[in-house]
Amino acid sequence: MRPRAPWISVLISLALASLAQAGAPPGARPSAGLSPEEALGKRIFFDEALSSPAGQSCATCHMPQAGFAGNGAADIAVYEGAVKGRFGDRNPPSSAYASFSPPFAKNAEGQYVGGQFWDGRAATLEEQAKGPFLNPAEQNLPDARALVDRVCQAAYGAQFKKLYGDAACSEPARGYDAVARAVAAYERSAESNRFSSKYDLARAGKVRLSEQEKRGVRLFDGKAKCARCHPSGPGPNNAPPVFTDFTYDNIGLPKNPKNPHYTTTPELNPEGAAHVDLGLGGALEDPAQHGKFKVPTLRNVAVSPPYGHNGCFRTLEDIVRFYNTRDLSGKWPAPEVKQNMNTAELGDLGLTEAEVADLVAFLKTLTDGYAAPK
């Protein structure tokens, strides 16, 4: 069994701050409930004019109703960019709770921890926020100047200049940094990190989990081994869990033949169907990390299908069954990357179908916006 990362101290203060402000769903609470920088970041996050051609925003792939992940359509593995026919290769991870990830680094056990994106290639939230704007498979702006010009000419341009100064509009590098700061501020806000699920209310003693959900909790922490990578217990000062240890793992996912990246433009994928996603190992050019991807948060997992970095599983039941029986002969296609696979914590768990259902019932309690029956 590999050692896991300890609780990160930054999680504590951020989580408690989010809890103090959490409440109404995103969009229901006015931006007046946000700080000026968070409110500006929200406007940028939802602005579809910040792409070329116009029509795609951060929220296109990180929708509030889907836990700030993909739009919850199980049959969509990855999303088309602003330019028709251009596709990336990965299922959008949630931007909610991403702010709790520490900067990318090795921990005391020598494991890579933290950072952003599935492969950790952005060390911080601000660095991640810059990427999609200029990515030809996403918002496709040509350069920082084009982004900054659009922001400064937008209805919120005066607010942008008030917060960051006139130089943010005249100096593209400075403006690009400011845009990233604003988006990251919104992604750190209580509107993005609500901690308002049934599970949170149960922890606070305001509701009770059903007997099936309780069985799911016990399986999650025990027989199913989920909590080894998705810690479920409270942190210091009773900080709520975010259900990831921020490490990287190769769980042996097969290729997703329905992933449109395989047939996207040759400029984006010259290898076509032969493309192999090496994850962290590709980002680091390190074979010892090939096939490893960041352990995602499980918060809002029930409303953000499909599952896996390549969207190969359409339902929670499917991916739980994969974790349960991956190593049983003939059950699943071959893994895309065989080396470095985790064989200690999944593959032959011995869960019954009833236990799979119990586990899924618990995972559904992690959806934000739960309204307790009156």
Side-chain angles (χ1 to χ4, degrees):
M1 182 191 310
R2 68 176 189 169
R4 291 288 168 186
W7 282 89
I8 310 299
S9 60
V10 70
L11 185 153
I12 304 167
S13 58
L14 289 173
L16 294 177
S18 291
L19 277 172
Q21 303 175 59
R29 184 173 64 242
S31 293
L34 303 173
S35 74
E37 189 170 44
E38 290 167 351
L40 174 63
K42 179 178 181 178
R43 297 191 73 174
I44 294 171
F45 191 90
F46 286 91
D47 189 350
E48 294 184 349
L50 304 181
S51 69
S52 179
Q56 187 170 77
S57 70
C58 304
T60 301
C61 296
H62 301 281
M63 302 183 74
Q65 64 267 38
F68 288 91
N71 70 4
D75 59 341
I76 299 176
V78 300
Y79 290 81
E80 192 170 33
V83 176
K84 187 174 178 59
R86 292 183 182 177
F87 291 88
D89 58 349
R90 295 174 185 157
N91 180 29
S94 176
S95 63
Y97 304 101
S99 58
F100 295 94
S101 182
F104 184 77
K106 278 189 176 182
N107 65 13
E109 289 78 32
Q111 296 171 282
Y112 288 101
V113 179
Q116 303 294 333
F117 294 115
W118 282 106
D119 58 10
R121 67 185 184 274
T124 66
L125 200 61
E126 286 80 3
E127 186 179 336
Q128 183 279 327
K130 290 181 175 182
F133 291 116
L134 307 190
N135 188 331
E138 297 184 72
Q139 288 167 269
N140 190 49
L141 292 175
D143 51 36
R145 173 83 275 170
L147 171 63
V148 172
D149 284 348
R150 282 169 169 78
V151 168
C152 292
Q153 293 164 12
Y156 51 82
Q159 182 185 1
F160 182 76
K161 285 187 276 189
K162 181 178 179 181
L163 279 174
Y164 301 117
D166 291 342
C169 288
S170 60
E171 300 176 23
R174 182 174 294 191
Y176 194 26
D177 287 343
V179 169
R181 281 179 53 190
V183 171
Y186 177 61
E187 292 177 337
R188 290 189 176 100
S189 74
E191 191 167 296
S192 293
N193 310 292
R194 294 159 59 200
F195 294 100
S196 60
S197 68
K198 183 178 183 181
Y199 178 80
D200 294 303
L201 270 63
R203 287 185 72 245
K206 296 180 180 179
V207 300
R208 293 184 179 181
L209 299 181
S210 70
E211 291 304 311
Q212 184 182 35
E213 291 162 351
K214 290 177 184 177
R215 292 196 301 270
V217 172
R218 291 192 291 270
L219 287 165
F220 188 94
D221 290 337
K223 182 178 180 180
K225 303 181 181 179
C226 309
R228 297 187 185 182
C229 302
H230 303 276
S232 60
N237 298 324
N238 205 35
V242 290
F243 292 94
T244 171
D245 63 3
F246 310 110
T247 60
Y248 292 79
D249 229 338
N250 180 3
I251 62 171
L253 286 184
K255 276 193 170 188
N256 180 3
K258 295 183 179 180
N259 188 334
H261 182 70
Y262 295 129
T263 55
T264 193
T265 60
E267 293 81 9
L268 294 178
N269 179 18
E271 299 170 310
H275 172 74
V276 173
D277 192 343
L278 297 176
L280 178 64
L284 296 178
E285 299 183 351
D286 180 357
Q289 307 303 324
H290 281 178
K292 295 184 180 181
F293 293 86
K294 192 177 180 186
V295 175
T297 178
L298 295 182
R299 285 185 172 272
N300 296 303
V301 67
V303 295
S304 56
Y307 303 106
H309 67 270
N310 60 8
C312 62
F313 293 112
R314 298 183 64 171
T315 70
L316 277 177
E317 288 82 2
D318 285 344
I319 194 164
V320 171
R321 290 183 184 116
F322 173 78
Y323 271 70
N324 185 32
T325 63
R326 181 198 66 192
D327 297 341
L328 302 186
S329 178
K331 284 283 186 180
W332 303 98
E336 181 172 17
V337 179
K338 293 183 179 180
Q339 64 263 47
N340 310 314
M341 271 176 48
N342 184 338
T343 58
E345 293 159 326
L346 71 157
D348 187 8
L349 300 176
L351 300 176
T352 66
E353 274 298 299
E355 289 173 326
V356 169
D358 292 346
L359 194 54
V360 169
F362 164 63
L363 292 173
K364 290 179 178 179
T365 71
L366 303 181
T367 302
D368 282 326
Y370 180 77
K374 295 183 179 180

